[in-house]
Structures are given as C-alpha cells and as structure tokens.
Amino acid sequence: MMYSKNLSKQRSIVLLSLCFMLLCLRTKYTLACEKVKRLTSENGTLLSAENLGHFMGPTTCIWEIEVPKGFRIELRIRVFEIETSCCVCKEDYVEFYDGLKSTSRHIGRYCSNNKPINIYSSKNVLRVKYYSSTSNVRENLTTVNKFRADYHAVCGQYFQGTYGKIATSAYPNFSNVNRYLFTIEVPYGYVKLTFTNFTVGRSQVYSEMCFTDFIIVKEMALVELKNTRHGPERLCGQLKSPYVFSRGRELSLLCQSSSVLKFDFAAEFEAANKSITPCGGFLRNNVGYIYSYGYPFPYPKRAECTWKIEVQRGYIKLKYLEFNFTTGSGAGCMNGQVEVYDGWVSNAVKIRSDCRQIVKRISLTSRTNRLMIKAVSKELEPGTFLFSYRQVDQGVCLDEEFTCNSRECINQDAVCDGTQNCLNGSDELNCPKKKCSKALYALWVLIAFIASIVMVVWLWRTWRKAVYRSVHIQREPSEPCLEDDDYACQVPSQTGAPPTYNEALNHAPTSLPRYEEALLNDDDEEEVTLEQGDTARFLASSLSSNQRLLPTCESQRTQRPIMTIRQNHLGIV
C-alpha cells in the first residue's frame, strides 16, 4: 500500500511539472508573438509559433520592420503553409503593409491559394501580420500552419509617374552596393522602358559570364508571385538601345553587382496607351526581347513580320515567355502562325510552327549564331507573343558531335562514311568524291621511291659510259698519223685499240694481182714490190678499187708511204 501511494504521488508531481512547463512556454511565446515585435536590424528572420512546436489555439504575430533610410526591404518567403477551410483567406492568412501602421498601403493578404515568393517595400519600412485560427487545434498535426521569412535591406528607389529617368550616375555609392532595386509604376496603360546606355559587367555577353553582374526584369511592383512574368534571365554586357515593354502598370529592375566590374546604365520610362512595337527587324544584341507587332495589343490582321536574330558567336537560346497567338479552332494553322527557322537562308530548317496558346515555357537552341522568327496573320487578330533570347556556348549537340540540318546529333565518324545517318542526308553533303585509304597512299609512296632508285641507277650507268667513251675517243682526222703502217693510219679502230684480225682482212686486198695483170696496168702511181722474206711491200693505189695493181722493181720504188703486210696476215708463202 505504501509503495502504491508513493508511486501515485510521484506521478502527480511529474504531471504538475509538465503542465507548469507548458504554461511557461505558452506564456513566453504569447508575450513574444502576440505583441507587436519591432525589428530594426538590416536583416532578420520572421518565425511563427507553430515552427517552435506550439499548437495551443489562435495565434497572431505582428512584425514591424524598419531599416536605415535610403534602403528598401526585400522579404523572402522560406516556409508558407497556410491551410484554410474555404476558398478565401479569412481564417488563416499573412498580410503585408507598405508601412508600419495598419492604415498604411495594403500590399496584400495571402494564404494557400496565392502563395507569394518575395515581398518588397517602397521605402525603408514594412509591416507583416500572421494570423492562425482555432482550426489549427486538430488531432492530425500534419496540416498545421507554418510561416517563416527572411528579410534584408537593399538599395533602391521607387518611381511613380508618367515619365522618368533612371541612371546609375545619380547614385554615388552605386558601385559599392551588391544589390539595387528600381521599381516603376505608371498611372495608366503600360510601361515602356528604353535603355539609352547599357554597360554591365563584361564587354561581351556569354551564358557563363552573367553570374556576377546582371539585371533581371520583372513585371511587378511590391509582390512577386509564382505567375509573375520575367524578362530574360539576365541582362549583361554591352547593349545598343534595347527596349522593354510591360503588359501592366508595374515594372522592376533588380541589379546584381560584384563591385569589381563596370556597372553603368541609363534608361527612360514612360506610360503609354498606344503601342509602338515594330513589325520585325534585325536584333544583334547578345540578349533581348522579341515582342509581337502591336504588343501588348493583339497582333493586327493581314500582317506578316520577320525578326532576324544574330549574336557575335556561339548559339542562340530562344525562350517562350508568353504565347497567346491563336488563329481559330480549325485543323492546322490556316489563318496564321508563328514559325521559327534555324537560320536566315531560304532553305533553313523550320524548328516550330505554333498557332495555339502555350502555357508552359518552351526553350529552343539554334545550330548557328542566327535565328529567324516569322509571324503571319490573315483575317483574324490572333493575339500576342513574347520571346526572350540570349547567347549561349552550347548548341543543339555536343562539341564532339555533328549537328544535322534536321537537328539530329550523330557521331563525327559517321560523317561522309557513305551512309546517310541524318534524316535529310546532310551528313553526306559536301564530301570528297572518293576517300583514299591510308594503304593506297603508302603504296603510291613505295612505288615512287622504287622508281626514283631505278632512275638514279640508270643515270649513273649512262654517265659512266659517257665518261669511258670520252677517255677512249678516236683521233680527229686533222691529227697527223705517226704510224709507219699506212693501213693502221687509214683504218683506225673504233674503240682506240689496234684493229683485230678480221678488221684487217676486211680492209686489205682479198688477193694479190697476177703478173699479167700488173703488166697491163699503165698507172705508175702505185708500186708493189715483193721481196724475199716474210713481207711484201706495195704502194696503195689512190685510184678506185676496180683498178689493178702492177708490180715494179725495187729500184723503181718511190718514196711514198708504204704499208707492210706480214706474211701470216696476208697468207703469202
């Protein structure tokens, strides 16, 4: 019994302690949240009670934020889970005021139906009210309301009126500030913003260079919602007179600077009721907008406009920001369409052709640094469209791939291989007539090498023969003959050597004249003398070969040159 009494007493003490702790936490939080909390630092955090684990009935939190003068407040929503029992924000909501009082300009009340992303103040003060009803006291705690936001001070200015100018030169400390926010609000129509000077960041604009210094254009004033229309993701580089149009009366420029590169721009804005957007044109900036003819009013009937885009290098990325260009419910686009071509040439490939409303954002990338857009209408006013474009370094395909004219990507090795790998066969265009293999080239080199060796050998042998002949050249006829043998002088060897036996026989008389023949010869010009011994001497006749030779006596020999013929040569015994 005593043990059971002590146990029950201990349990009672523990329960009382828990209740006291819960009461203290609720009291502490009530004092911290239900009263107005004033925040004066340049940055801070707003946190609802549910984020701390308190679920004890209705909760109201009010924060009054004030930053130094000359700054504006940017409030970023981190957690926004506001559940309501109906379709309007009556029981659970978050309200924002452009001031410190509840009577200040009401920015808006938001809950689960229209969740905000960012809230901006026009000056240096902002009021935030969070309210959670008793419906939060539920058994299922997974649907509990939660709210969290972070704020910080940003430089900026809020412009109101029908006309005005913005220039960074009017702000001496602009280059030392990382973020700057300009907001324009006109009383009627829409905003037309024209940049008269634009040098932001690097002189050239590429996709990877607009991360530190850039300008973002948003069609809003103090609230950025999920459906807030943006311009191109980033504007940077050097632009020549670009212009921006809004569909409403509000426009904001969010400037991001690294405080290292040059950041200088000037612009003029005006309120307009009549559109002056042109019909087509040439766009040579590296980033910009393409508005439909007559924007923000509908595209006129029976109009044809062409926009040609060219960037300095790389490729063009085109994004559909708004497309309400509808030409009826019939099949096809018979009453007009918007066409996108991959280039300017007449046979350029058509990328898209649209004549229906497009809700999602579509992105297209060109094959080259040129892109063309053509819009045609007939008997209807089809509506409006808005594109943004910017220069990028990556095209349709990777750098190691080949981009077909039909926008397919194939391997570089498949180009000019004799097989059409692209749908339109563009990979086999402008190819050489015949691709010679490396083995054939090597064979031709080997043949040329062998031919050159043969030619060198032939020339060397020819040169040797010519040298040998020049050394053993025969005597000139004008040189005197020093031989005693007339026959040797009359019949020199063709090679410079003494005549052979057959040569001597061919030039010697075939037989000696008979005695009778010698007697009958009246011509005494030649004498033939026979002597005892091995030789016979005779005078060679200067007459013709048919004349006969007559023998003479030894005493009658003349002193003419004689020729000695040895017995063994002439066959005389």
Side-chain angles (χ1 to χ4, degrees):
M1 289 294 292
M2 290 296 296
Y3 178 76
S4 61
K5 290 182 179 180
N6 293 332
L7 182 60
S8 61
K9 187 177 181 180
Q10 291 178 359
R11 289 179 178 177
S12 301
I13 294 174
V14 170
L15 290 175
L16 290 174
S17 300
L18 289 174
C19 292
F20 180 77
M21 291 177 62
L22 291 174
L23 181 61
C24 291
L25 289 174
R26 186 180 185 279
T27 304
K28 181 179 179 180
Y29 175 74
T30 301
L31 294 175
C33 187
E34 289 187 354
K35 291 185 177 180
V36 177
K37 187 174 183 178
R38 191 71 174 265
L39 304 174
T40 57
S41 59
E42 294 185 0
N43 54 75
T45 301
L46 312 183
L47 199 62
S48 66
E50 289 81 2
N51 287 276
L52 298 175
H54 304 299
F55 314 105
M56 295 186 177
T59 304
T60 301
C61 298
I62 298 175
W63 297 275
E64 293 180 354
I65 308 171
E66 184 177 5
V67 297
K69 291 184 179 181
F71 290 86
R72 298 175 63 182
I73 300 173
E74 180 182 17
L75 186 72
R76 296 184 178 182
I77 308 299
R78 302 301 185 185
V79 179
F80 196 92
E81 299 177 5
I82 308 296
E83 300 295 335
T84 57
S85 59
C86 189
C87 305
V88 294
C89 303
K90 290 184 177 180
E91 297 180 352
D92 307 275
Y93 58 85
V94 179
E95 276 186 310
F96 302 93
Y97 297 87
D98 190 21
L100 296 179
K101 299 180 180 180
S102 58
T103 57
S104 301
R105 177 183 177 181
H106 187 242
I107 297 176
R109 175 183 289 187
Y110 303 95
C111 56
S112 59
N113 295 332
N114 53 350
K115 174 183 175 181
I117 299 175
N118 293 325
I119 303 293
Y120 300 93
S121 66
S122 61
K123 297 181 180 180
N124 64 322
V125 290
L126 183 68
R127 180 185 176 94
V128 181
K129 180 181 178 180
Y130 166 78
Y131 178 73
S132 178
S133 66
T134 56
S135 59
N136 281 315
V137 183
R138 307 181 182 93
E139 294 181 359
N140 185 6
L141 299 180
T142 58
T143 60
V144 172
N145 295 336
K146 292 182 180 181
F147 172 75
R148 178 180 176 178
D150 299 330
Y151 78 91
H152 60 275
V154 296
C155 293
Q157 191 171 356
Y158 193 88
F159 296 91
Q160 287 181 309
T162 59
Y163 177 81
K165 293 183 178 181
I166 305 173
T168 56
S169 58
Y171 305 93
N173 298 326
F174 187 87
S175 59
N176 298 326
V177 179
N178 291 333
R179 290 174 66 85
Y180 224 99
L181 180 64
F182 296 103
T183 301
I184 303 169
E185 184 179 0
V186 295
Y188 60 86
Y190 61 93
V191 181
K192 179 195 174 185
L193 180 69
T194 304
F195 289 98
T196 57
N197 178 30
F198 195 98
T199 303
V200 176
R202 299 181 183 273
S203 59
Q204 304 296 334
V205 81
Y206 308 117
S207 61
E208 68 271 12
M209 294 185 180
C210 290
F211 284 119
T212 58
D213 300 78
F214 55 85
I215 294 178
I216 297 179
V217 181
K218 301 179 181 180
E219 291 196 27
M220 64 166 196
L222 302 178
V223 182
E224 180 181 358
L225 301 173
K226 185 177 181 180
N227 58 354
T228 299
R229 293 205 314 272
H230 292 186
E233 287 78 1
R234 286 158 183 166
L235 289 172
C236 67
Q238 288 184 346
L239 306 182
K240 299 178 181 179
S241 301
Y243 50 84
V244 177
F245 296 94
S246 68
R247 291 186 62 89
R249 299 184 298 109
E250 302 166 343
L251 195 67
S252 293
L253 303 177
L254 181 60
C255 308
Q256 177 72 42
S257 172
S258 63
S259 303
V260 176
L261 303 176
K262 187 175 182 179
F263 202 108
D264 182 23
F265 76 91
E268 298 178 356
F269 72 88
E270 61 178 325
N273 278 331
K274 184 179 180 181
S275 175
I276 56 174
T277 51
C279 177
F282 291 89
L283 305 174
R284 290 186 170 87
N285 292 327
N286 291 326
V287 63
Y289 296 100
I290 298 176
Y291 297 90
S292 59
Y293 181 31
Y295 188 92
F297 302 104
Y299 194 89
K301 297 185 292 185
R302 295 182 294 275
E304 181 176 346
C305 304
T306 301
W307 291 264
K308 295 182 177 181
I309 311 171
E310 182 180 18
V311 296
Q312 295 180 3
R313 51 166 286 185
Y315 309 93
I316 302 172
K317 185 175 183 179
L318 184 72
K319 180 177 288 188
Y320 285 53
L321 300 180
E322 173 189 330
F323 196 88
N324 297 314
F325 199 90
T326 58
T327 57
S329 58
C333 299
M334 301 300 296
N335 295 320
Q337 66 278 332
V338 176
E339 300 171 337
V340 182
Y341 291 88
D342 199 354
W344 294 4
V345 295
S346 58
N347 60 345
V349 177
K350 184 191 297 184
I351 303 176
R352 285 187 66 92
S353 180
D354 299 293
C355 58
R356 298 287 186 272
Q357 184 178 7
I358 299 177
V359 179
K360 63 180 181 179
R361 292 192 174 186
I362 300 174
S363 297
L364 304 174
T365 306
S366 65
R367 290 180 57 250
T368 62
N369 64 331
R370 289 184 173 184
L371 203 66
M372 183 171 65
I373 300 173
K374 182 183 294 186
V376 180
S377 65
K378 294 186 179 180
E379 301 300 327
L380 298 175
E381 292 183 352
T384 61
F385 61 83
L386 170 60
F387 299 145
S388 70
Y389 75 90
R390 62 187 177 96
Q391 178 180 342
V392 295
D393 292 337
Q394 181 61 54
V396 179
C397 302
L398 301 176
D399 295 338
E400 61 270 14
E401 293 179 328
F402 175 79
T403 306
C404 305
N405 292 342
S406 51
R407 301 178 62 80
E408 302 139 273
C409 301
I410 63 173
N411 198 322
Q412 286 285 358
D413 297 336
V415 180
C416 296
D417 62 348
T419 304
Q420 292 187 359
N421 299 283
C422 299
L423 292 178
N424 58 359
S426 56
D427 58 323
E428 299 299 324
L429 299 177
N430 303 322
C431 296
K433 294 182 179 179
K434 186 177 180 181
K435 296 177 67 176
C436 296
S437 62
K438 295 181 179 180
L440 186 58
Y441 283 121
L443 180 60
W444 279 110
V445 171
L446 181 61
I447 293 174
F449 179 73
I450 295 174
S452 62
I453 292 177
V454 173
M455 182 63 70
V456 169
V457 172
W458 180 79
L459 291 174
W460 180 78
R461 291 177 61 88
T462 304
W463 175 78
R464 286 290 304 272
K465 290 182 180 180
V467 171
Y468 183 80
R469 288 178 180 176
S470 63
V471 173
H472 301 84
I473 190 169
Q474 76 177 53
R475 299 183 184 90
E476 295 295 336
S478 59
E479 293 181 0
C481 183
L482 302 179
E483 298 287 343
D484 294 336
D485 194 344
D486 293 337
Y487 181 75
C489 290
Q490 293 181 7
V491 189
S493 174
Q494 298 298 324
T495 61
T500 62
Y501 179 78
N502 292 330
E503 290 175 347
L505 291 178
N506 291 333
H507 291 84
T510 57
S511 63
L512 294 176
R514 295 195 304 248
Y515 181 78
E516 291 82 1
E517 291 175 348
L519 292 177
L520 295 177
N521 188 7
D522 297 331
D523 193 355
D524 253 357
E525 291 181 359
E526 299 292 339
E527 293 182 358
V528 178
T529 304
L530 297 176
E531 298 179 350
Q532 293 180 358
D534 294 336
T535 61
R537 296 183 181 178
F538 62 91
L539 297 177
S541 176
S542 62
L543 299 177
S544 62
S545 61
N546 58 359
Q547 293 179 343
R548 293 186 175 90
L549 299 175
L550 297 178
T552 58
C553 297
E554 179 72 22
S555 60
Q556 297 178 352
R557 281 183 293 176
T558 62
Q559 297 300 322
R560 295 179 183 179
I562 61 176
M563 181 178 295
T564 303
I565 302 176
R566 297 189 180 274
Q567 181 179 357
N568 57 352
H569 285 179
L570 298 178
I572 301 176
V573 181

